[in-house]
Amino acid sequence: MAMLNTGDILETIKMIQEENLDIRTITMGISLIDCIDSDIDRACDKIYEKMMRRAENLVKTGEDIEKQYGIPIINKRISVTPIAIVAAATKQSPVKFAKTLQRVAEGTGVNYIGGYSALVHKGFSAGDKELIESIPEALAETTNVCSSVNVGSTKAGINMDAVAMMGKIIRQASEKTKNDHCFGAAKIVVFCNAPEDNPFMAGAFHGVGEYDTEINVGVSGPGVVRAALSKHPDANISEIADVIKKTAFKITRMGQLVGTEASKRLGVPFGIVDLSLAPTPAVGDSVAHILEEIGLESCGAHGTTACLALLNDAVKKGGVMASSHVGGLSGAFIPVSEDAGMIDAVNRGALTLEKLEAMTAVCSVGLDMIVVPGDTSADTISAIIADEAAIGMVNSKTTAVRVIPAIGMKEGETLEFGGLFGSGPVMKVSGFSASKFISRGGRIPAPLQSLKN
Amino acid sequence: MRAVVAVIGKDTVGILAKVSGICAEYRANVMDVTQTIMQDLFAMTMLIEISKLTIDYIDFAEKLKAAGTEMNLQVHVMHEDIFNSMHKI
């Protein structure tokens, strides 16, 4: 046939059927700047009207593309302008905005809406503190709204007042939802260098420099990478990098196809493909297992950081050529509770918080979906955030913290979330205090960008 | 518009006849067929032109899948662009 090679066709089918290849998310970014109003009810009405109009066909279009191409598209989602910007003019508690977003989620059928957010990497402007303080209540009173706060950047440094606040906010969010697996805290991401076009939850928001409405796509496929590597048991590391690049290329091409098709059908500009390896708790969909396939007895062993650096870089190199626009987080995710291999590694004592922190220096995001003991203090959570933000700030990369204090639980127990969120072993944190450091407040100055050693 | 039909399963009599029968019934023109036996697995791929389909593409795909299930075969119907984009630069 002017056509396609049977081997290629069967390979694609195998990737989808057996190796969990899928499009993880089609996320529609919607700007709410034109919905700003000093009357909060009027602002909420405008938001509801605009979002319902723009996203009316998002879920249906996703399902149609899924059927036409035979590719599973797991999530359809929406990200919006950081609500702190929209809420500032109202001078009232922004929780009403969260409830409006919840109504939109129910009306459109999307599973999450991200953007109950504030960007405070240098300082707080009007509306920011009010929004941050309302996060625990907003997340307890909604089910499909996600929140994120950017507390640092390479250009601005780290806002330590915001870092101190976020430790408390995460604890409160967990306490307010303790009868619901402390799930409030799983819907908060604290960023350094947050990307403005990220399609993945819980950290998605729609930056102010983006299109009015756009489509961003997140691909996945840790299982495909692992399966490809398992066919090369004797390859050297250069060859391993090559196999990963070729696989990432194919995965990303699929994302590019789905993204451009969705953008065409919805009449909305195509933003980016986020070429991330996003694991799920499903068997065979683990990033930890890729690292083990490269040659580690367990994820967390010495050598893990090097394997992850190789994986992360090769995924980007393969993906960049496959897509016209790459953005978002792009890299390997290492969430603990959402990755069967990571959970096993923690349970067998191979993977610790310290090792995970080192891994975040070379991978896509940060300390993600990590369950800590219920008595972990707000200051200790803030200190974990500060460490992680420092890694992002100095290395000019995105880092994030999504930790869940498991109220009433101790190290060694397991917090069950269910579904895509999996379950998280409660991990050990240092018992030594950083309270004095956190209580000082102020800002960590932006780092030097030359003389790099 | 063209789609790829892939049929995978244990070899039995009449697979090609059944699948091409359904294609003819709904006016899908078969442009090319290849088949191979891999280990003892039968794999047939068919390129079909579907712009003159008399029913909706998704319903057509369902009919083929149902016929496959009857014969204990997996049938996948996918738009050809997915393969072009993944396997060609």
Side-chain angles (χ1 to χ4, degrees):
Chain A
M1 314 186 198
M3 140 140 197
L4 302 152
N5 176 317
T6 309
D8 290 345
I9 292 172
L10 297 179
E11 183 194 355
T12 304
I13 290 170
K14 190 159 182 252
M15 283 176 170
I16 294 168
Q17 295 284 310
E18 293 170 27
E19 297 159 9
N20 298 308
L21 177 60
D22 56 48
I23 299 292
R24 185 50 46 85
T25 180
I26 296 184
T27 303
M28 179 181 268
I30 303 177
S31 167
L32 301 182
I33 297 286
D34 54 351
C35 302
I36 291 175
D37 201 299
S38 57
D39 178 334
I40 191 165
D41 293 316
R42 206 153 51 202
C44 286
D45 286 348
K46 286 191 209 170
I47 289 173
Y48 184 80
E49 189 279 323
K50 179 173 185 182
M51 290 180 72
M52 289 303 294
R53 179 162 42 87
R54 291 298 164 111
E56 190 185 3
N57 295 320
L58 175 62
V59 172
K60 164 116 189 13
T61 303
E63 287 166 357
D64 286 349
I65 294 174
E66 197 168 348
K67 284 181 192 140
Q68 175 158 1
Y69 291 100
I71 311 165
I73 300 171
I74 309 299
N75 299 301
K76 293 90 185 169
R77 296 169 163 172
I78 302 174
S79 63
V80 296
T81 306
I83 291 294
I85 297 171
V86 184
T90 68
K91 302 190 169 55
Q92 289 186 48
S93 160
V95 173
K96 269 191 181 170
F97 289 101
K99 290 182 177 166
T100 304
L101 297 179
Q102 178 65 30
R103 279 202 296 139
V104 174
E106 286 159 15
T108 54
V110 300
N111 69 346
Y112 282 106
I113 296 183
Y116 199 77
S117 305
L119 310 179
V120 295
H121 34 281
K122 188 174 284 174
F124 302 98
S125 59
D128 287 336
K129 274 192 178 154
E130 291 77 1
L131 183 117
I132 293 174
E133 278 161 2
S134 76
I135 289 172
E137 184 188 345
L139 297 186
E141 296 199 10
T142 57
T143 49
N144 306 74
V145 175
C146 292
S147 179
S148 55
V149 177
N150 193 52
V151 298
S153 77
T154 300
K155 290 214 164 107
I158 299 173
N159 177 348
M160 289 302 295
D161 295 316
V163 169
M165 271 181 97
M166 288 315 294
K168 298 189 184 82
I169 294 298
I170 287 170
R171 270 211 67 93
Q172 285 168 21
S174 215
E175 276 161 11
K176 266 190 189 296
T177 52
K178 68 180 173 203
N179 296 326
D180 186 24
H181 320 282
C182 303
F183 205 62
K187 294 184 288 181
I188 306 176
V189 180
V190 186
F191 276 115
C192 178
N193 290 323
E196 305 207 337
D197 51 8
N198 160 29
F200 285 101
M201 295 296 164
F205 65 87
H206 185 72
V208 290
E210 303 291 308
Y211 290 99
D212 181 72
T213 307
E214 71 191 10
I215 288 291
N216 297 318
V217 168
V219 297
S220 182
V224 180
V225 174
R226 188 199 180 195
L229 290 180
S230 70
K231 289 178 199 133
H232 301 271
D234 303 314
N236 69 29
I237 292 297
S238 309
E239 291 158 351
I240 291 280
D242 231 35
V243 172
I244 297 170
K245 276 197 286 189
K246 285 178 187 156
T247 312
F249 177 85
K250 291 177 187 169
I251 297 172
T252 310
R253 290 285 274 201
M254 197 178 81
Q256 170 80 16
L257 175 70
V258 167
T260 39
E261 189 63 28
S263 126
K264 199 165 73 192
R265 290 186 189 196
L266 290 162
V268 164
F270 171 62
I272 54 98
V273 175
D274 186 321
L275 42 96
S276 287
L277 292 182
T280 68
V283 174
D285 209 17
S286 155
V287 168
H289 287 159
I290 299 175
L291 305 176
E292 290 164 5
E293 188 70 46
I294 296 176
L296 304 172
E297 184 185 359
S298 170
C299 176
H302 294 296
T304 300
T305 312
C307 289
L308 184 59
L310 151 83
L311 171 67
N312 200 51
D313 182 65
V315 165
K316 286 182 201 169
K317 284 174 179 161
V320 159
M321 188 177 155
S323 171
S324 50
H325 297 283
V326 170
L329 295 165
S330 284
F333 292 175
I334 52 167
V336 173
S337 80
E338 297 168 359
D339 186 313
M342 295 282 175
I343 295 171
D344 290 345
V346 172
N347 285 335
R348 69 169 77 94
L351 184 60
T352 61
L353 200 53
E354 291 75 12
K355 189 62 180 174
L356 279 161
E357 184 182 314
M359 289 160 72
T360 64
V362 299
C363 81
S364 153
V365 198
L367 294 173
D368 194 15
M369 289 303 278
I370 290 172
V371 182
V372 297
D375 60 0
T376 308
S377 72
D379 287 345
T380 296
I381 295 173
S382 291
I384 292 171
I385 294 169
D387 282 344
E388 200 52 36
I391 290 173
M393 173 182 76
V394 170
N395 294 301
S396 306
K397 73 182 289 293
T398 302
T399 48
V401 171
R402 184 160 52 146
V403 293
I404 301 108
I407 305 302
M409 296 178 91
K410 290 193 169 56
E411 186 194 332
E413 293 182 72
T414 294
L415 181 62
E416 297 284 345
F417 298 115
L420 258 189
F421 295 93
S423 67
V426 181
M427 296 185 71
K428 182 180 190 314
V429 298
S430 169
F432 295 96
S433 168
S435 292
K436 179 72 195 291
F437 164 55
I438 297 302
S439 69
R440 283 178 187 270
R443 280 193 279 150
I444 296 182
L448 204 58
Q449 286 301 300
S450 58
L451 311 176
K452 292 202 110 178
N453 275 312
Chain B
M1 196 166 97
R2 300 193 303 184
V4 171
V5 181
V7 182
I8 306 164
K10 205 163 167 295
D11 197 7
T12 110
V13 174
I15 298 177
L16 182 56
K18 179 90 180 180
V19 175
S20 51
I22 294 171
C23 290
E25 190 181 345
Y26 299 106
R27 302 231 144 262
N29 186 26
V30 177
M31 306 181 71
D32 204 346
V33 182
T34 54
Q35 56 178 59
T36 45
I37 308 282
M38 300 193 312
Q39 283 106 35
D40 55 346
L41 217 60
F42 170 85
M44 177 180 81
T45 54
M46 198 180 243
L47 186 68
I48 57 173
E49 166 62 50
I50 50 172
S51 28
K52 295 200 178 103
L53 272 187
T54 55
I55 52 171
D56 187 57
Y57 166 79
I58 288 163
D59 296 334
F60 174 70
E62 286 305 322
K63 299 244 180 231
L64 284 173
K65 280 183 197 165
T69 316
E70 252 173 55
M71 293 195 288
N72 227 352
L73 297 162
Q74 273 184 52
V75 176
H76 304 272
V77 187
M78 298 161 85
H79 194 286
E80 72 162 339
D81 281 355
I82 173 107
F83 305 102
N84 285 332
S85 66
M86 281 177 77
H87 300 282
K88 286 183 187 168
I89 293 179

